[in-house]
Amino acid sequence: MNNREIRVGIIHKSIFSRHGGGGAEIFSLELASALKELGFRVIYIAGDEYNWGYYRKISGVNVKIDGEILFRNPPLFKAYDEFIDMLRLNSMRREIDILINTNGGVKPIPFVDITYIHSPLLFNMWYSWPSIYKAYLFPRNAILKSFAKHNMLGLILTNSRFTKIEIKKVMGLDSIVLYPPIDVERYMKYSNNEKRERLVISIGRFSPKKRYEDLIEIASRVKDVKFVIIGAVSDVNYMRRITRLIKEKGLSNVIVKPNASFQEKLELLSRAKVYLHTARNERFGISIVEGMAAGCVPVVYRSRGPWLDILEERQGVYGFAYRDLDEAASMIGNVLDNDVLWREILINTRSHVLKFSRNAFKRKLMMIMKETLATRNHYD
């Protein structure tokens, strides 16, 4: 069987299907694109109709899938729809050769072939849920945890070494790190621009997890520097809160660009000298690598994937990691005022970012697909 005869179903039942999604949604699109380039047929399985035009606009990924299947389950059983999905997917086994769940940390579906986990949210959030909600979902979570314990989620893939450690800790499962594919070559075309401005870029959906309040505080300490926030609007109220906070502080050096196009993002990155990432609970951080490839020095919070996987715990080699806002402001000022330092880090990152490239992703993905097919054929 050649690749063109192999049908791959990508399952991503995102709550952001019509509105501002984030890295998980774009990853599923990138995965579909990579599989198509490798010659596979791709069928998309979603909980609602995907706004393909929107995602192509913000990601720059233009992929033509071979089919789309909608799984709309009754609202009454929404919390238990993994089990309904399991039954429906099992009935499709003759039509689809490999099933990949790309939202496995939130919606783990048993008996798929591959589960990609961006974050084991289901297993982490349980402790903070209200008691009445815990009682309602107790049977569901007990069954899902049993499936995970007995390794019924297929091959587990994840986005970083940090998440790999976390999955082992909270789920007891081994996993393989498959870094999200990033079109670094496309971004690197913009890295040669040496006429950089005193400009700092931050990219990420408008969500409290991104901590744009910290960016505003940093901007208030370096008022001779321009800051631009680019983000998909997944939380309108949070975006309004951020714009209101900017006005309250009287900051003219912070600009918000909601739902900016991919081309506008590239243009801004080509002019900026620093990429600032204020999120503190990031498992990886696709936009950090994009900024690095485009010629920006990353300044990130010192924790998790950005520090462990992207900067590789090497301060000042591929970028800088801060512990508090004063340190962040100082690091930004240092990079902006020191062209020699900026060039040194730019040289270091040019080869480093290639480990996160689409080509690196496709090579590893092809190996995984071959092993998965061999396993399926062995048991069929």
Side-chain angles (χ1 to χ4, degrees):
M1 183 182 288
N2 63 50
N3 288 358
R4 297 191 185 282
E5 296 173 340
I6 299 169
R7 298 152 298 185
V8 181
I10 296 178
I11 311 155
H12 195 88
K13 300 193 68 177
S14 171
I15 60 171
F16 298 128
S17 55
R18 288 186 178 276
H19 305 290
E25 285 67 49
I26 293 174
F27 171 81
S28 67
L29 199 62
E30 289 277 14
L31 175 63
S33 177
L35 287 168
K36 288 292 293 180
E37 289 174 18
L38 290 170
F40 295 95
R41 294 178 62 194
V42 176
I43 294 92
Y44 215 84
I45 303 168
D48 200 352
E49 291 182 12
Y50 251 58
N51 189 340
W52 294 103
Y54 168 77
Y55 281 108
R56 285 169 183 144
K57 174 188 172 184
I58 65 170
S59 69
V61 182
N62 190 8
V63 57
K64 186 176 181 180
I65 59 172
D66 298 290
E68 186 173 2
I69 299 171
L70 300 182
F71 275 11
R72 289 193 176 116
N73 296 330
L76 182 64
F77 302 103
K78 196 70 176 174
Y80 284 80
D81 66 2
E82 291 92 345
F83 306 112
I84 301 173
D85 292 342
M86 178 183 71
L87 296 173
R88 295 173 75 176
L89 289 168
N90 192 51
S91 68
M92 296 166 55
R93 273 301 187 182
R94 291 184 179 180
E95 303 169 34
I96 297 177
D97 300 294
I98 296 178
L99 288 168
I100 304 175
N101 179 11
T102 55
N103 206 13
V106 178
K107 293 280 185 183
I109 301 172
F111 305 116
V112 297
D113 300 293
I114 298 171
T115 295
Y116 195 95
I117 297 179
H118 298 273
S119 168
L121 284 175
L122 171 69
F123 299 84
N124 279 339
M125 292 192 304
W126 173 256
Y127 302 103
S128 62
W129 287 345
S131 297
I132 190 169
Y133 199 47
K134 283 185 182 180
Y136 171 59
L137 290 177
F138 180 80
R140 173 236 195 195
N141 286 299
I143 295 169
L144 286 175
K145 287 182 179 182
S146 177
F147 280 135
K149 182 179 179 181
H150 293 91
N151 200 17
M152 294 182 181
L153 303 179
L155 180 67
I156 307 294
L157 305 179
T158 191
N159 57 1
S160 68
R161 287 189 292 149
F162 172 82
T163 315
K164 177 184 174 75
I165 295 167
E166 190 178 27
I167 289 170
K168 184 67 174 178
K169 181 180 178 181
V170 303
M171 297 176 71
L173 297 177
D174 293 319
S175 57
I176 296 171
V177 175
L178 179 64
Y179 289 122
I182 302 169
D183 193 356
V184 294
E185 290 86 356
R186 188 173 185 179
Y187 285 91
M188 288 173 76
K189 293 176 184 177
Y190 294 82
S191 66
N192 294 323
N193 177 30
E194 295 207 357
K195 295 180 180 179
R196 300 274 169 159
E197 304 170 20
R198 294 181 69 79
L199 175 62
V200 176
I201 302 293
S202 188
I203 302 170
R205 72 184 187 277
F206 282 92
S207 162
K209 293 180 181 179
K210 299 303 179 182
R211 297 181 66 99
Y212 288 132
E213 297 91 343
D214 286 355
L215 180 146
I216 292 168
E217 282 298 322
I218 294 167
S220 70
R221 301 174 195 198
V222 279
K223 292 185 178 180
D224 63 330
V225 177
K226 183 178 177 182
F227 291 75
V228 177
I229 302 172
I230 300 172
V233 183
S234 60
D235 187 333
V236 175
N237 291 330
Y238 181 72
M239 187 193 72
R240 288 172 179 164
R241 193 166 87 208
I242 291 302
T243 54
R244 186 167 59 248
L245 184 59
I246 293 168
K247 289 179 182 178
E248 288 172 357
K249 288 186 171 290
L251 296 176
S252 60
N253 63 327
V254 182
I255 296 172
V256 174
K257 288 188 173 291
N259 296 330
S261 69
F262 182 75
Q263 193 56 45
E264 187 175 9
K265 180 176 78 170
L266 283 176
E267 192 271 330
L268 284 165
L269 285 172
S270 72
R271 290 162 43 200
K273 225 174 182 182
V274 173
Y275 177 85
L276 175 62
H277 203 72
T278 49
R280 296 191 178 187
N281 297 309
E282 204 76 88
R283 268 75 184 178
F284 182 66
I286 291 173
S287 59
I288 300 170
V289 179
E290 292 173 344
M292 292 167 71
C296 301
V297 172
V299 175
V300 305
Y301 187 72
R302 188 168 176 152
S303 74
R304 303 197 174 195
W307 173 240
L308 181 64
D309 288 87
I310 298 176
L311 297 192
E312 294 185 343
E313 301 177 280
R314 302 174 71 184
Q315 188 76 287
V317 177
Y318 304 121
F320 295 92
Y322 65 89
R323 288 190 175 93
D324 58 56
L325 303 187
D326 285 330
E327 189 176 23
S330 175
M331 288 172 171
I332 289 170
N334 190 26
V335 173
L336 293 175
D337 295 334
N338 191 334
D339 283 342
V340 174
L341 176 63
W342 172 72
R343 288 191 182 92
E344 284 179 357
I345 294 177
L346 181 61
I347 291 168
N348 293 339
T349 58
R350 277 179 175 156
S351 58
H352 176 61
V353 296
L354 293 176
K355 69 185 287 187
F356 308 114
S357 70
R358 278 181 172 172
N359 286 333
F361 177 85
K362 285 194 292 183
R363 285 194 297 271
K364 193 164 186 178
L365 177 64
M366 192 67 228
M367 291 172 57
I368 290 167
M369 295 298 285
K370 285 181 178 178
E371 291 175 8
T372 302
L373 281 166
T375 303
R376 281 291 310 276
N377 292 336
H378 176 75
Y379 287 105
D380 284 350

